[in-house]
Amino acid sequence: MFRNFGSDAESDSDDYETACERMVRTVASRVDDDRVLEAMESVPRHTFVPPDRRDRAYVDRPLPIRDGQTISAPHMVAVMADLLGLDPGDEVLEIGTGCGYHAAVTAELVGDESVATVEYSAELADRAREQLAELGYDGVDVRTGDGREGWPEHAPYDAAYFTCAAATFPDPVVDQARPGGTLLAPIGSGFQTLVEATKREDGGLERTEHGGVRFVEMRGR
């Protein structure tokens, strides 16, 4: 059942919940942690997409939102959450808030007060902040800024992930991760690879590649 949901008519809510359950079954084979599936079932994804696209909100593909950006396909959100292996109370940095959906799923896993997210577009950041608060994720901290700089005020992080492609893991974000912490991002320009990295005690990264992906590229300086 959706968390804190009640903005649509009851019949519409039932239809969306049925579509959400179908979406979760579709992505279930891609993840090992049932908590990820429970988190995705709790978040009303359709409230994060424009009204004229809500009939496709639970289809397993990315959708345009605002300002030339997209909401990631459900399977990609599930895969990334599964790879991060988050526990309640973990401090998490998200780069690329977008509409706020991925942050909401993360908040279900760690608690909303443990999520900090940075968005380059002020328009998207403001809208995501409003939508997250409306659904009860008001503890998620949303900042407008350049994701390459991370968010040092909330550091250190147990995990940091990117919903946009970067040429490499930015040094400030690596610095803000704890030793033993996990970073996850689409890396590359043109051809992108989903890269998981664990930060060593010496500050270096041990990397594992998880195949080709396609994300919008990070904006900023």
Side-chain angles (χ1 to χ4, degrees), residues 84 86-93 110 113-115 151-161 170-184 197-206:
L84 287 172
L86 300 170
D87 292 317
D90 281 351
E91 295 295 329
V92 182
L93 173 65
V110 301
E113 293 185 355
S114 294
V115 181
W151 197 342
E153 288 80 5
H154 288 285
Y157 299 101
D158 298 291
Y161 67 90
D171 288 340
V173 177
V174 175
D175 292 343
Q176 291 163 29
R178 298 180 188 275
T182 303
L183 297 98
L184 184 65
T198 301
K199 184 176 177 179
R200 300 192 302 260
E201 290 289 340
D202 64 5
L205 298 177
E206 295 180 4

Side-chain angles (χ1 to χ4, degrees), residues 31-166:
V31 302
D32 295 320
D33 187 351
D34 287 344
R35 293 178 57 244
V36 171
L37 303 179
E38 293 168 3
M40 295 186 69
E41 194 166 359
S42 297
V43 180
R45 179 178 165 91
H46 64 278
T47 65
F48 290 93
V49 304
D52 63 344
R53 295 191 172 95
R54 288 186 175 174
D55 61 332
R56 289 163 280 170
Y58 296 99
V59 176
D60 191 20
R61 63 174 178 240
L63 293 172
I65 45 172
R66 295 174 175 83
D67 204 12
Q69 303 302 296
T70 62
I71 178 173
S72 295
H75 77 269
M76 186 53 60
V77 176
V79 165
M80 292 180 72
D82 195 53
L83 287 172
L84 287 172
L86 300 170
D87 292 317
D90 281 351
E91 295 295 329
V92 182
L93 173 65
E94 176 187 66
I95 304 300
T97 314
C99 62
Y101 172 72
H102 202 144
V105 173
T106 301
E108 286 287 336
L109 293 166
V110 301
D112 55 324
E113 293 185 355
S114 294
V115 181
T117 177
V118 182
E119 171 56 50
Y120 186 76
S121 165
E123 176 189 0
L124 287 177
D126 289 345
R127 177 63 187 133
R129 189 180 296 110
E130 293 171 2
Q131 186 60 43
L132 287 164
E134 182 177 327
L135 293 171
Y137 303 103
D138 46 319
V140 174
D141 213 346
V142 183
R143 172 191 182 187
T144 302
D146 189 335
R148 293 175 180 83
E149 299 172 0
W151 197 342
E153 288 80 5
H154 288 285
Y157 299 101
D158 298 291
Y161 67 90
F162 292 67
T163 66
C164 47

